[in-house]
Amino acid sequence: MSRVLEVENLRISFPDGQGGRLYPVDGVSFSLERGETLALVGESGCGKSLTSLALLQLIPPPGRIESGSTVRLGDIDVLGLRGERLRQIRGRRIGMIFQDPMTSLNPVFKVGDQIAEGIRAHFDVSRAEARSRSFNLLQEVGIPDARSRLDAYPHQLSGGMRQRVMIAIALAAEPEILVADEPTTALDVTVQAQILEVLDRLRATRGMAVLLITHDLGIVAGRADRVAVMYAGQIVEEAPTARLFARPSHPYTQGLFASVPRLTGPVQRLTPIGGSVPPPSAWPAGCRFRPRCPKAFEKSELAPPLLPVEPDHRMRCWLAETGGARG
Amino acid sequence: MTLLQVRDLVKHYHAGGMFRASAPPVRAVDGVSFDVGRAETLALVGESGCGKSSVGRTIIRLQEPTSGSATFEGTDLFALDRTALRKMRRRMQIIFQDPYSSLNPRMTIGAAVAEGIEIHRLARGKDVGRRVAGLLEEVGLDPGYARRYPHEFSGGQRQRIGIARALAVEPTFIVCDEPVSALDVSVQAQVLNLLADLQRERGLAYLFIAHDLAVVRQIARRIAVMYLGRIVEEGPAEQLLAEPSHPYTVALLSAVPEPDPGARRARIVLSGDLPSPSNPPPGCPFHTRCFHPLRSERCRQELPLLRPVGGTNAACHYAESTPSPEALAAN
Ligand SMILES: Nc1ncnc2c1ncn2[C@@H]1O[C@H](COP(=O)(O)OP(=O)(O)OP(=O)(O)O)[C@@H](O)[C@H]1O
Ligand code: SF4
Ligand SMILES: [Mg+2]
């Protein structure tokens, strides 16, 4: 397999309001192979969306990406790019879709024109050709009656249809990587199923690599090849999907699984993690999960690195040294 | 024993403004009937805009019903005047998805929880503070938080504050309108456990409004599924989830992503969008998206009524032969 994206030691900081800085993303590393889907999973505030925005230098000021962070796209150092060179990467090589399609749709332009504009920004084609490609894209993302929808304004479409249009715009430039940040979180479950089906199909036919950002373990199952679980600005566990679901090993990952209500099997009392996710200003020294961890022990006062559990499976927990967190 | 009895509830919203006078109303609730027993949980599930919140709000008269009846402990709720309604609020409370919007940002947590106690004169002087402290403890919060303000708390803590506020007047019935939908999964589980504990300890009845079937299964023994302002299936949770009879319930269930890579279930992906509630289709409200092989002209003309099928009540003309996702995939 060929590696299309490599993120190394990504650190993002914001001023803390008292002259110092906070690091909501603190040393995140991962890579994507061609055609692969990696899921970045975690609860609100763990840094997963900031991580995805940083890939294209989209961190809003006064936030900044710290020096020493790298994002490599093939042999391009993305974080070193500025101006036109950066614009060529955005959209063209890495496409993005978000939870709220209205953030990337312009309310005053017809959707057909918005897709065509995206096509013409990246390819030297005629208006007529761009319009015909837009039509094909709308069909590809499963919009019924695509011909007439080309002339619709975003507000005339349902939430699910808007999300499809946003996917069409992201695909217009034929990116090799698609970053999908909670693409179905705002949608009803039957509409979510429609959108996920579209994404699955496109990934298969186009061979795109996908970085799927979600809080929902159900969406990850049967979709992602690998999973990285984030907590407090760091990846705390990473493994192939089947392995992670069969053997979640970090106490945080285990707590997440124990918190999810199921549709099948006996109804049992849930055993949630105590407390709540602390804000970056309150992250403890040592293992950041320590105050909520039922298995914390003396060594937890030191910050654990990512340690191997099995080949291909790593976690940020000292118990990996003894195999003690598997359960 | 029946605590709440709702019959043929209708709630239409009329678009405001002179020029809109002729616009069709939004038929948010279009003839809904159900019972809630003492210390029981009935879950009302459905997708956005199906009218489930409108049901909850009209029952406790946060909004006025268009027609229908609701009887609570023998009292006709829709006939109460303002004074009687205020008294009734001691018996029935509501908690919301976003507890922040229901808390006054300038009121301390203690004052917010004490409000109901004072309005209904349930305690005086030092006893009020003691009760507030007890309530905060009961919902898993430090009694010392009473002096703090809402913005200092996380989403899960605010939901606990909302629950303490509702409990303060010692109700017998609480409408829970998506109380865990905005919470992270670990915190959601804590709040679900808390609601279950309170129900057991205080004998509370809940109308639990939600869109997540797995969440609902965790808390409710009976489930009613709504679509476009109507209940399309209703019954004991285990039956309804294991052997749904209405095609919409089947589709809804099969769309839930289960956190189990081994469970490669057949999936029904509905085609098309939800019709507008101001212009619902005639006949069966689900017929524009229905996948039932027997779907016919009758579905387009005749409204199916809830009737017993298998272990539940379902509103589908052909509910006896609704195919499972697996059977559908095999064809
Ligand atoms: N005050 C109002 N004025 C006008 N229309 C309203 C009002 N409240 C609700 N509606 C409409 O009535 C329908 C049902 O709304 P309701 O809030 O009951 O749905 P819901 O099932 O709770 O949806 P959600 O899952 O999004 O909370 C929707 O079409 C909604 O837009
Ligand atoms: S009545 Fe007809 S359209 Fe409605 S759910 Fe049953 S088969 Fe489908
Ligand atoms: Mg609602």
Side-chain angles (χ1 to χ4, degrees):
Chain A
M1 276 209 272
S2 63
R3 183 154 293 187
V4 288
L5 183 78
E6 184 143 16
V7 174
E8 245 176 64
N9 190 31
L10 180 66
R11 294 182 85 213
I12 300 168
S13 73
F14 279 86
D16 67 357
Q18 284 150 30
R21 293 188 83 81
L22 297 169
Y23 297 84
V25 173
D26 195 9
V28 165
S29 304
F30 61 86
S31 60
L32 260 180
E33 309 288 328
R34 196 184 134 67
E36 182 190 44
T37 297
L38 170 69
L40 215 50
V41 178
E43 297 183 282
S44 59
C46 70
K48 52 195 190 303
S49 289
L50 280 179
T51 298
S52 71
L53 290 172
L55 302 184
L56 290 172
Q57 292 191 42
L58 291 171
I59 301 297
R64 69 167 187 241
I65 301 170
E66 294 289 305
S67 61
S69 310
T70 37
V71 174
R72 260 192 307 278
L73 182 66
D75 47 19
I76 302 172
D77 167 18
V78 179
L79 298 182
L81 299 179
R82 297 289 176 267
E84 180 59 19
R85 298 255 295 134
L86 178 60
R87 214 184 55 79
Q88 279 170 8
I89 301 286
R90 284 188 186 154
R92 179 68 185 92
R93 309 271 314 263
I94 305 181
M96 285 210 155
I97 56 179
F98 302 98
Q99 175 171 340
D100 176 10
M102 286 316 261
T103 55
S104 34
L105 292 177
N106 188 324
V108 301
F109 290 110
K110 294 174 179 170
V111 301
D113 294 344
Q114 297 191 49
I115 303 171
E117 188 195 3
I119 294 170
R120 279 162 60 85
H122 296 291
F123 303 103
D124 185 19
V125 297
S126 70
R127 274 176 194 287
E129 168 66 15
R131 185 166 169 93
S132 116
R133 284 199 199 177
S134 306
F135 169 70
N136 291 338
L137 280 165
L138 285 187
Q139 279 197 317
E140 199 176 343
V141 298
I143 292 195
D145 199 10
R147 182 75 59 197
S148 68
R149 297 300 168 97
L150 282 173
D151 294 317
Y153 291 92
H155 71 88
Q156 294 172 315
L157 303 175
S158 68
M161 287 298 156
R162 281 184 210 147
Q163 202 64 335
R164 289 172 198 258
V165 170
M166 186 165 65
I167 295 170
I169 290 175
L171 293 179
E174 297 169 13
E176 59 215 73
I177 299 171
L178 183 68
V179 177
D181 188 355
E182 304 267 9
T184 57
T185 302
L187 303 174
D188 278 322
V189 47
T190 60
V191 182
Q192 164 169 291
Q194 295 171 342
I195 299 294
L196 290 175
E197 190 189 46
V198 168
L199 285 175
D200 288 348
R201 185 161 41 75
L202 292 170
R203 190 194 39 177
T205 56
R206 293 179 170 236
M208 279 183 307
V210 177
L211 181 65
L212 175 65
I213 293 168
T214 179
H215 67 281
D216 187 341
L217 289 165
I219 289 177
V220 172
R223 179 159 292 105
D225 302 297
R226 279 186 305 131
V227 187
V229 179
M230 284 187 74
Y231 184 78
Q234 300 176 321
I235 290 176
V236 295
E237 184 163 6
E238 190 187 347
T241 307
R243 156 143 227 115
L244 187 103
F245 279 70
R247 290 215 154 173
S249 298
H250 194 286
Y252 174 66
T253 316
Q254 293 176 344
L256 271 187
F257 276 100
S259 298
V260 183
R262 307 293 172 119
L263 267 182
T264 48
V267 182
Q268 283 167 342
R269 189 176 171 85
L270 302 168
T271 46
I273 308 162
S276 55
V277 181
S281 57
W283 289 346
C287 171
R288 293 185 180 172
F289 188 55
R290 180 176 49 132
R292 303 176 71 194
C293 183
K295 296 179 178 169
F297 61 118
E298 310 84 70
K299 204 166 177 185
S300 311
E301 283 168 34
L302 303 173
L306 273 171
L307 297 165
V309 179
E310 294 278 332
D312 234 20
H313 185 175
R314 301 184 299 164
M315 70 164 165
R316 198 178 287 280
C317 168
W318 292 117
L319 291 169
E321 294 178 334
T322 55
R326 285 182 246 155
Chain B
M1 216 176 84
T2 307
L3 180 70
L4 172 72
Q5 196 175 58
V6 175
R7 292 294 176 268
D8 304 315
L9 180 65
V10 173
K11 174 64 188 172
H12 292 176
Y13 297 102
H14 293 270
M18 293 218 306
F19 305 106
R20 303 261 184 86
S22 58
V26 176
R27 307 164 79 92
V29 184
D30 225 1
V32 158
S33 304
F34 58 85
D35 293 346
V36 181
R38 266 176 213 289
E40 182 197 76
T41 302
L42 171 68
L44 211 50
V45 295
E47 298 182 283
S48 65
C50 72
K52 51 197 187 301
S53 292
S54 297
V55 169
R57 284 163 207 250
T58 26
I59 287 171
I60 63 160
R61 295 268 308 267
L62 288 181
Q63 281 169 343
E64 292 306 310
T66 303
S67 65
S69 72
T71 317
F72 181 79
E73 294 179 327
T75 307
D76 177 357
L77 291 174
F78 296 166
L80 298 178
D81 62 19
R82 286 181 57 129
T83 332
L85 186 60
R86 241 184 54 185
K87 273 208 185 125
M88 188 52 85
R89 290 267 155 79
R90 249 208 82 183
R91 323 287 304 146
M92 14 190 1
Q93 286 282 311
I94 184 165
I95 54 180
F96 297 100
Q97 170 171 349
D98 175 14
Y100 198 56
S101 61
S102 58
L103 291 170
N104 181 342
R106 278 186 290 277
M107 209 185 234
T108 62
I109 301 313
V113 175
E115 208 174 25
I117 300 175
E118 278 155 357
I119 288 175
H120 294 283
R121 300 203 181 83
L122 303 178
R124 351 174 48 179
K126 283 226 165 75
D127 281 342
V128 176
R130 266 196 280 276
R131 276 213 193 199
V132 168
L135 285 160
L136 289 178
E137 254 180 357
E138 192 174 353
V139 299
L141 293 174
D142 183 337
Y145 289 171
R147 283 184 301 276
R148 302 223 207 145
Y149 290 88
H151 73 262
E152 299 175 54
F153 295 93
S154 70
Q157 287 172 320
R158 285 179 198 149
Q159 195 53 279
R160 290 175 193 269
I161 295 165
I163 295 170
R165 212 168 117 84
L167 291 179
V169 297
E170 295 168 5
T172 46
F173 173 66
I174 301 182
V175 173
C176 308
D177 190 358
E178 306 248 16
V180 298
S181 305
L183 305 177
D184 276 325
V185 44
S186 64
V187 180
Q188 166 179 300
Q190 296 168 4
V191 173
L192 284 173
N193 283 349
L194 173 64
L195 287 171
D197 293 344
L198 292 170
Q199 173 161 62
R200 206 182 43 248
E201 284 151 20
R202 291 175 166 251
L204 284 166
Y206 297 138
L207 179 66
F208 190 94
I209 297 169
H211 64 270
D212 184 331
L213 283 167
V215 162
V216 152
R217 178 173 185 254
Q218 191 68 33
I219 189 118
R221 224 158 333 135
R222 281 198 311 129
I223 298 178
V225 179
M226 279 186 78
Y227 186 79
L228 278 183
R230 298 174 188 277
I231 293 178
V232 295
E233 184 159 9
E234 178 274 322
E238 286 313 310
Q239 256 107 325
L240 187 137
L241 296 174
E243 287 169 50
S245 288
H246 195 284
Y248 177 63
T249 316
V250 173
L252 197 59
L253 259 167
S254 87
V256 177
E258 277 250 76
D260 178 3
R264 290 248 102 220
R265 297 175 304 155
R267 198 154 276 159
I268 295 171
V269 176
L270 289 178
S271 57
D273 279 345
L274 190 71
S276 158
S278 54
N279 187 20
C284 172
F286 188 57
H287 86 247
T288 57
R289 302 169 81 199
C290 182
F291 55 85
H292 199 305
L294 295 183
R295 183 177 64 147
S296 68
E297 194 49 38
R298 187 178 171 206
C299 306
R300 277 183 282 276
Q301 291 178 1
E302 189 189 328
L303 175 71
L305 300 177
L306 275 177
R307 63 198 172 83
V309 183
T312 68
N313 294 302
C316 164
H317 296 309
Y318 306 107
E320 285 79 2
S321 52
T322 299
S324 68
E326 290 73 21
L328 207 67
N331 275 320

